[in-house]
Amino acid sequence: MRRLLGTLLVPAALLATATSALADTDRPRSGPEVVAHRGASADAPENTLAAADEALAQRADAVEVDVQRTADGHLVLVHDATLARTTDVARVFPTRALSPVGAFTLAELRRLDAGSWFSPASAGERIPTLAEFADRLHGRADLLVELKDPARYPGMEKEVAYEIDGRCGVVVQSFDHDVMRSFAEAAPDVPAGWLFDGRPTAAQLDDAAAHGVTQINPSFEVVDAALVAEVAARGMQTGTYTVDAPDDMRRIADTGVDRIITDRPAVLRTVLAG
């Protein structure tokens, strides 16, 4: 998912309440589903097992991740087109620092530190495979898989369909709607989401519904109650990304969306609790 917000300052009182709320693990979910963006990525390095653990600790209902493919055919979790921002690739492979993710083998990716850029305490985190991340959740939270720039990886949608076969609680989404039509053919029983940068048109919603899409997921900046109603009228649900400020969380929740993607699941939990 594309991070639309920079680092936000959250009031200390709100954070304190959020932390205390984590102990209430048996409280049933009400309101929109809480989806951790790349894991709980405000508190752990994105798309890592540490981010999965933190998302579970903050009681996320689901975890969103970004999937790409290595040069030797493994499905791995990386958001950016290159490894420069989130790993020490410039140190380990100095002549390949700006090479695309898909130019590296899994063994090469295993050599990279995917945590030090975030904090010293996160040093040593590795880039996980999709299977490793799904196993880490172990049914304790659902999994929202974004096919990241799938045009770079022909056939990746079929490989993802194979990888998640038999796993419960998985939804697959992408901004590339042509690839999502192909995914629907490969895995007709897996819920599919279409991502949008802007507000989807009526024609786009009709197209999505005709192809069995279950979730429409636009930026929170274009979501309102009218759009949620338009989506629901076509038998689909609305999710939205990436909502990190408490005031935005309140506004979006009031629109009736089905799920909210956030870097800060604990804060969203507190906001939803009122």
Side-chain angles (χ1 to χ4, degrees):
M1 299 288 298
R2 300 173 188 179
R3 193 182 301 273
L4 298 182
L5 299 177
T7 302
L8 296 169
L9 295 178
V10 180
L14 184 58
L15 279 175
T17 307
T19 302
S20 65
L22 300 184
D24 185 15
T25 55
D26 295 326
R27 185 176 67 82
R29 179 171 68 85
S30 61
E33 182 179 350
V34 175
V35 183
H37 183 231
R38 309 178 199 170
S41 55
D43 299 302
E46 63 186 59
N47 283 320
T48 64
L49 297 183
D53 293 341
E54 188 62 31
L56 292 170
Q58 295 187 23
R59 296 187 303 124
D61 297 304
V63 183
E64 184 266 351
V65 294
D66 305 287
V67 175
Q68 300 191 52
R69 187 175 66 203
T70 66
D72 52 343
H74 294 273
L75 299 172
V76 292
L77 305 190
V78 182
H79 174 271
D80 295 1
T82 76
L83 299 155
R85 180 177 64 88
T86 57
T87 76
D88 60 347
V89 66
R91 181 185 65 81
V92 179
F93 300 107
T95 65
R96 302 167 65 192
L98 296 180
S99 296
V101 173
F104 293 83
T105 65
L106 180 61
E108 289 173 331
L109 293 185
R110 296 293 200 202
R111 294 175 57 188
L112 301 179
D113 182 336
S116 292
W117 69 274
F118 185 84
S119 72
S122 300
E125 281 296 317
R126 302 300 172 191
I127 295 173
T129 64
L130 175 60
E132 288 168 343
F133 197 95
D135 288 344
R136 189 64 155 244
L137 296 182
H138 195 57
R140 293 173 290 174
D142 291 342
L143 183 61
L144 177 58
V145 178
E146 180 182 346
L147 306 181
K148 198 69 188 175
D149 296 326
R152 293 175 179 265
Y153 308 107
M156 183 175 71
E157 70 278 9
K158 296 179 178 62
E159 295 164 4
V160 170
Y162 179 82
E163 180 60 53
I164 65 175
D165 185 43
R167 294 186 185 272
C168 298
V170 181
V171 177
V172 175
Q173 64 176 1
S174 181
F175 285 97
D176 189 327
H177 301 162
D178 289 336
V179 167
M180 289 308 300
R181 293 184 187 95
S182 177
F183 177 81
E185 295 175 359
D189 296 327
V190 176
W194 281 15
L195 286 158
F196 292 87
D197 282 319
R199 189 184 184 95
T201 65
Q204 287 173 320
L205 294 179
D206 289 341
D207 185 26
H211 285 89
V213 173
T214 59
Q215 297 182 15
I216 297 296
N217 299 328
S219 163
F220 82 95
E221 294 179 332
V222 302
V223 171
D224 55 27
L227 177 59
V228 173
E230 288 183 64
V231 173
R234 292 166 172 81
M236 299 179 291
Q237 296 184 342
T238 303
T240 190
Y241 66 91
T242 304
V243 192
D244 286 344
D247 287 347
D248 290 328
M249 292 173 177
R250 295 184 187 96
R251 180 184 70 79
I252 291 299
D254 288 344
T255 67
V257 295
D258 298 284
R259 58 193 50 80
I260 297 175
I261 298 174
T262 179
D263 298 327
R264 297 173 165 83
V267 174
L268 178 55
R269 281 281 183 211
T270 300
V271 168
L272 295 177

